[in-house]
Amino acid sequence: MSSYDDWNKLDDDEDVELEDAGYLEGNKDVILFCIDCSPSMQELYDDERYEDVQTCRLFTALEAAMQIQKKKVIVGPNDSVGIMLFNTTRRNEATAGQGAEIKKGTYVYQPIATIDAPKVQELMRLLDAVRDKPKLLSQEFPPLTESRVPMGDVFTSCNWVMRDGASKTAVKRVFLITDEDDPHPGPTHDRLAKSAKTTLEDLLQAGVTVEPFFISSEDKSFDPSKFYSFVLSPTNVIEDAESGGAVLPESISIARVEDLLSQMRFHEVPKRAFFSTRLQLAEGFVIGVKGYTPVTERKKGKHEYFYDLGDRMVVAKSRSIMVDDMSHAYADKSEILSGMTLGKASMDEEKEDAEQAVGVARVTQANMRPFYTQDEINSFRTMGLEPMIKLLGFKDISELAYEDNVKHSTFIYPDEMTYSGSKRTFTALLRTMVRKKKIGIALGLARRNSTPTFYAMLPQLPKTDESGWDDPPGIHLIPLPFADDIRAARVERAYQANSELEKMARAWIDKITVRQGGYPPDTYPNPSLAYHNAQLEAAAFREEFDAESFEDLSKPKYDMIHKRAGQLMRAWKEALLVDETANTVTETAGTKRKADVTVNEAEIRSMNDYGTLAKLRVDQLKDGCQVRVFLDAQLGNPRCSQALRNAHEFCKSKSLPSSGKKADLMERVGEWLEAHP
Amino acid sequence: MPAERAGFTVTMFLVDVSPSMGKIREVEVPDGANGESMTVEMTNLEYALQFVKLKVQEMIYHGRKTEQCGLILFGTDDTDNTVNEKNGGYEHVSEYIPILQPDVRTLAKISGIEPSETTGDAIDALIVGIETQQEYLERKPSWTRKIVLITDGESPIEIEDWEATVSKMNALKISLTVVGVDFDDDELPFHEQGKSDIKRTNESFYHTFTSKLERGVVGNAEFALQELARPEIKQVKSQPSVFVLRVGDVESRAEEAIEIYVKTYKYTAKASLPSIKRFARRVKGDDEDESRMQLDDDEDKVIWTQLARRTEYFIDRGDGEEDSEGDAEDERKGDALEKVEKEELVRGFKYGASYVPCPDDTFPKLPTLKGIEICGFFKAKHFKRWQEMGEVYYVFGDTDKAMQQVALSSLVKAMAKSEEKFAIARWVKKDGGEPKVGVMWPMTIEGQMDYLMWVQMPFADDIRNFPFGSLDKLVSKTNNTVTSHPYLPTKEQESAMDRFVDEMDLMNAGEKNEEGEREPWFDVRLSYNPALHRMKQALLHAAVVDDISKNPLPPPHPELTKYFDPPLRVLKRARDAIEECKDLFKVREVPAKVTRARKDGHVRARDEDEDMLLLDKTAKRPPTSSQMPTTQRAFASQHAGPSPKAKRKPEARSGDDSSATESETEPESDAEDLLVNKGKGAHLPTPTRSPEPDRGRASGRIIGNTYPLDDFRQNIARGDVVTKAVEDLGDIIKEVVAKPFASRRTEEMLQCMRVLRKVALEEDEIDAWNAFLRQLHEVCLESKPGNKEFWTHVQGEGRTISLISKSEASKFGGTSDVTDAYAAEFIHQQ
């Protein structure tokens, strides 16, 4: 594991607070893609991305489904996905399990099952074949040309497919993809709409939610009011009581077909609250809120242990038990008590000790209990508080320092379902805080297994920024560090730049400042995670992983930086090199060495030529090496190679033992000089 | 106070064991379970030794090799010390524990100290202590020397020539703490009644003595013990790391690219809670070894051993294909799991149902180059504070080089100038390490230094764009914007909130500063982590006392809870505003819905003529077809009277935690709905209509009394509310059998129980069933009115309806604490 992961490593023996990611990823999620196959969905047009390639909406929808599968399989390896098509004449075999008896005009292409490599590959193969031969799709899934399947039948089929394939406890969703805003025009409209509504309700009763993705285009914009707002809205709105005042439930997406995938990405993780608790504004003045985590670090999947049964591999389940190290007896869970370490008894001491048979142990009278029960421990951890967020008062927003941070924040939104009046109270609070430029200070125990934490409550009004990011209304709870978490600065003084240098720095900084917006998270996918997942996928597909084609998007855009600011950066560097303060010889123990360092390259070179390099002191060598590299870098000497930068790093390190390393240094300097005649 | 170097300390404890220390005192301990005040009796020696033990325990807690201590007793019957060996004299002073790094046995030894028959001289002990320490630290002059003297001051001291001792101690930079039992203390306040003359003289001597020391203090033992509970921050020095801060392409465009050498330090680092170890009684086997029998001669001793964690692996050979569908798996749990050794297993990742072996822990890593690279800048005003993800770092210019400092300073100053800018910076901690992206902001201290601070920001993968509805734009079905609605605050409400926010302001609610102005209340730098210090206090306490039940943990130090409530003066000031808000906003707790809202969605069609808000369905919906039975059920349960059993799971929602919507015990799935269902209490949201009168109904249930079995089956089919359904059905059965005319429903209830037991067994609600059955037994036989007849019917069902036993449970992969024999016996209990 990388050093980053070690930073936050918790004691193995600890009751680790529920990892934030766990609540999102511990659940099983089932998605049934329900894709329209009508002629309009299959109508071929030229692909925007490739020349001479034709595509159709159905193709894009299937491709998006495939991408989502690939993505989901990595985030939640236990998640299930299925694909059902409608408005096609293709029928399932009567005997084929799921979907055997579903309504006419609907077809189960992939029954709901845990995502696995062969199935994703099957879909990929189909898509590849279609890309070569676009007509293939309409042969594979012949569209219903003269009529459309009643939407009611579609929902009924979804229901059956879900019932057969999805586990009871999973979060079940149907992603409905269609470009037809009025599937049943004419006299049957009302009747079919009503039946669609009824069957949709059945679906909802079975615990399945429908998330529609409507395809809109320039020629034909999708008008949900024709059919779908009647069918979807009432139920969906109730289903999610939090939706605001929009006409349609917020989960509806209407977009161009090209944006289908990105729209689906938003819905990839079902919206789920991290906690639901009370916000106490004052004694007796309490509202309900739900907490979400809009920012959580996503990590690599956990590795598992597998056992080879010969014909297949099975996952080994792990169970952690507590044992007495001396007697190797299992401890009964209900009897285990907690306390602090007794210290480690060193082996030889133990031998002499009369208590050797006891090992690390504590002896008391039989009726005494020198350790705590789990309940007692919990009450210490929580300080006896119940889960709640308790407002302590308000402060100016300027009191919230950037550096008072230890972990990601959570986001709270009023919950009318636990306390009526929560929304109006929350809204009034939010508006007032924003208007007065205030933050709240709160004490909170977000969940029963958390520890008390102080939070800054940062209000946020809805706003759409330039990057298209929607800031929803609500309050961010930023956990504040405790005194215990803050470390003092170890550096108290440093040389400062004059205004000339500052101006020159400002010149190049301005050139590489983005004009609009702030930090753009979307621009930076996690490269190491992507690298890992790409390899995982290649291995699952039994393909070669092509490291060459991997691009680290978090790297700076060098071309852009140099194009815009290169000259200015160079000018700043040249000014820095001759700057008076910058060339101050520091009044530290190293002063003398500094002075000595003025051995220039020519001197070193000649010493090397005459074999007198060894006459230099180690620190001169170190610094000589270092200064060279630095000057080279600063002056833009392209000869400053990677190897030398490494050498430099090496030299720079003050922890370097000065003895025995001189030869290395000499060698290094010698090598460099040889390589750069 | 400058941070002391952690560790590198030898503390000598000098403990007075003169007979007077054996005097018994009463010590108050925290109130008992029922609020009665409790005291325990102990000797002065035991009392004072608590201080020593806590100090020693803290050393064990730190676990530093360089934190050592030794213990010398004075007033011992014999003599055993280094000064006596060399020069004679210094009698009745004995080295009890040589200087070492303490562990649990040290504590055990301290517990064994008992008062003697002889008195000893504290100054003799002090000199022996200084000598012993000096011998040990001969070659370690930089170590910190501490001496703690524990005494009741009742024994005579030869005080001649004490100035020489003082100068010696000052020369050796020894700090002395005198912990005096019942010494007078004006601040505590404490003044001992009937103090002996000798003690008075000694006390004043100690005061004189320590006042001449450069590092000396006398304290009352009680006060000293109190002070030990004060939170103390464990000083950690940040370790610097050296990096190159780069701008541009240093490889191929080095003439333009910038490199600045920087040092980074942590600014914030989450302090972790003290680690807890697990202990259990060692079970005494038959072959209990002789040695131990000798060790603890009486049978009544218990040995507590520290447990180690071990992970075991099991596989399920099953039969069919690998099927990770939850249900299928649960059902097959009957096929006993087979234990396998870790060595037989292959490491890998799951790719859905596929398996990807990866024996080396991880795939090849992304090749990266150590360093901090600036990707660009943005305007500070666009910074989203809430996106900060982790701990914060200082980034200083290389502390040894002026040029690097100046380079960084010019960058920082330029960033901080008029329109402040932040840098986007990608940080790789070591070659091949995982890159993190963060932002750096400028920090300048005028005329002193400039530096940057870095904090991690989210990658695209870390962000979740959950959709949330607008809070103030409500649109009706006819597409009109709604301006007045229960979800929207009125003008009046807004101005009340305005006052509330003003009155609750903390900016001038803190302590007064030197100018007499009040500072803001709440300072991060003074807020101790209550859990951390409380746990530490608890762990230290447990190490010192032998029985937690008799001697419970004292309350937390006030420092820990000082920020738990708003300051009193603010509350006082805001009282009117708070009352006004309560009156105007009228927030009410909502009763849990009886049926899930989404189920009765279709009623919407009925009130379509109303110009109703789409989002407001739940608020205005009249009782609907599917809710109707509820009313009847409620009626029925009213007849039953307030059943004590209606209160379930009190531990989960006890006290004022009525809306505790935690769902730890529940499967996490569908958490939101569970949460909604679990609440209990008053009413429908947003009372725009007059409240409904059916208060007596069993709120919060998902199963009604009328057709419990049907309701139950429906809920089980839904799958995600199993726990709740099992719990509810159990409660209903108990209610029904306790009612008059219950006999009419006997067969129905028995049927319910059969189904309930089956579900409980299969769905791992075994404990719930066992608890239910025991309660039912109680309801039928022990409470009034009871229903003995029903229990007889239950008994008629025999073993198959009894408690679920271990062996039964394990067939379904569950666990139970009931033995087969007991399960068989239980059902026949009268």
Side-chain angles (χ1 to χ4, degrees), chain A residues 404-642:
Chain A
D404 284 344
N405 205 77
V406 273
K407 59 181 286 198
H408 65 80
S409 58
T410 48
F411 178 76
I412 54 170
Y413 190 82
D415 179 14
E416 195 72 14
M417 305 309 282
T418 52
Y419 283 83
S420 70
S422 291
K423 275 196 176 174
R424 56 176 176 251
T425 312
F426 191 89
T427 306
L429 176 68
L430 184 62
R431 286 179 183 168
T432 313
M433 284 169 74
V434 169
R435 194 176 60 241
K436 294 183 180 288
K437 296 193 169 56
K438 290 285 175 188
I439 54 163
I441 300 290
L443 167 69
L445 192 73
R447 300 166 68 107
R448 198 167 290 282
N449 60 352
S450 345
T451 51
T453 305
F454 293 108
Y455 293 98
M457 300 168 68
L458 182 65
Q460 173 174 290
L461 285 182
K463 190 173 90 192
T464 305
D465 73 10
E466 297 82 356
S467 59
W469 171 283
D470 285 319
D471 277 344
I475 293 176
H476 292 285
L477 290 184
I478 296 170
L480 295 170
F482 294 108
D484 313 78
D485 306 332
I486 297 176
R487 299 182 182 182
R490 300 273 310 276
V491 179
E492 277 149 12
R493 278 201 106 71
Y495 288 99
Q496 291 181 295
N498 59 28
S499 60
E500 191 51 38
L501 266 182
E502 178 195 323
K503 215 174 279 166
M504 295 183 81
R506 179 74 174 198
W508 59 261
I509 288 173
D510 280 344
K511 287 289 178 196
I512 50 175
T513 298
V514 290
R515 284 190 192 93
Q516 298 294 330
Y519 171 77
D522 290 347
T523 337
Y524 300 109
N526 184 344
S528 21
L529 188 61
Y531 198 73
H532 171 85
N533 288 343
Q535 293 181 75
L536 178 59
E537 188 182 291
F541 291 171
R542 293 170 206 283
E543 288 167 358
E544 234 6 86
F545 171 66
D546 178 14
E548 290 300 306
S549 67
F550 184 85
E551 193 191 350
D552 180 348
L553 294 169
S554 71
K555 277 192 174 162
K557 311 282 176 283
Y558 292 132
D559 290 342
M560 191 270 289
I561 291 175
H562 285 279
K563 198 174 140 223
R564 290 199 195 157
Q567 293 304 316
L568 294 163
M569 281 154 63
R570 184 181 198 143
W572 172 81
K573 273 167 56 169
E574 281 159 6
L576 175 70
L577 275 185
V578 296
D579 183 87
E580 202 179 319
T581 326
N583 286 296
T584 316
V585 173
T586 40
E587 295 282 329
T588 60
T591 309
K592 264 201 183 138
R593 297 177 199 174
K594 284 277 171 199
D596 288 347
V597 161
T598 33
V599 279
N600 58 29
E601 186 182 336
E603 278 180 66
I604 295 183
R605 195 174 291 280
S606 72
M607 290 174 98
N608 189 46
D609 289 346
Y610 294 107
T612 50
L613 204 55
K615 283 183 184 162
L616 279 175
R617 289 206 318 274
V618 171
D619 53 76
Q620 285 176 307
L621 274 171
K622 275 198 261 177
D623 283 344
C625 178
Q626 180 177 330
V627 160
R628 279 305 322 149
V629 178
F630 180 68
L631 290 177
D632 275 339
Q634 293 293 337
L635 290 169
N637 190 338
R639 297 176 304 178
C640 171
S641 71
Q642 177 57 39

Side-chain angles (χ1 to χ4, degrees), chain A residues 339-394:
Chain A
M340 74 176 278
T341 177
L342 302 176
K344 285 207 169 61
S346 68
M347 286 318 280
D348 45 5
E349 254 179 84
E350 212 171 357
K351 266 181 212 155
E352 299 159 15
D353 208 302
E355 296 169 36
Q356 53 166 308
V358 185
V360 182
R362 190 166 163 183
V363 182
T364 63
Q365 300 290 328
N367 55 352
M368 289 183 167
R369 175 169 67 91
F371 301 107
Y372 298 105
T373 62
Q374 193 54 44
D375 283 351
E376 284 169 330
I377 291 284
N378 288 346
S379 77
F380 302 145
R381 284 168 51 95
T382 60
M383 298 294 285
L385 298 173
E386 288 294 332
M388 177 163 73
I389 296 156
K390 179 167 163 189
L391 176 81
L392 300 171
F394 300 93

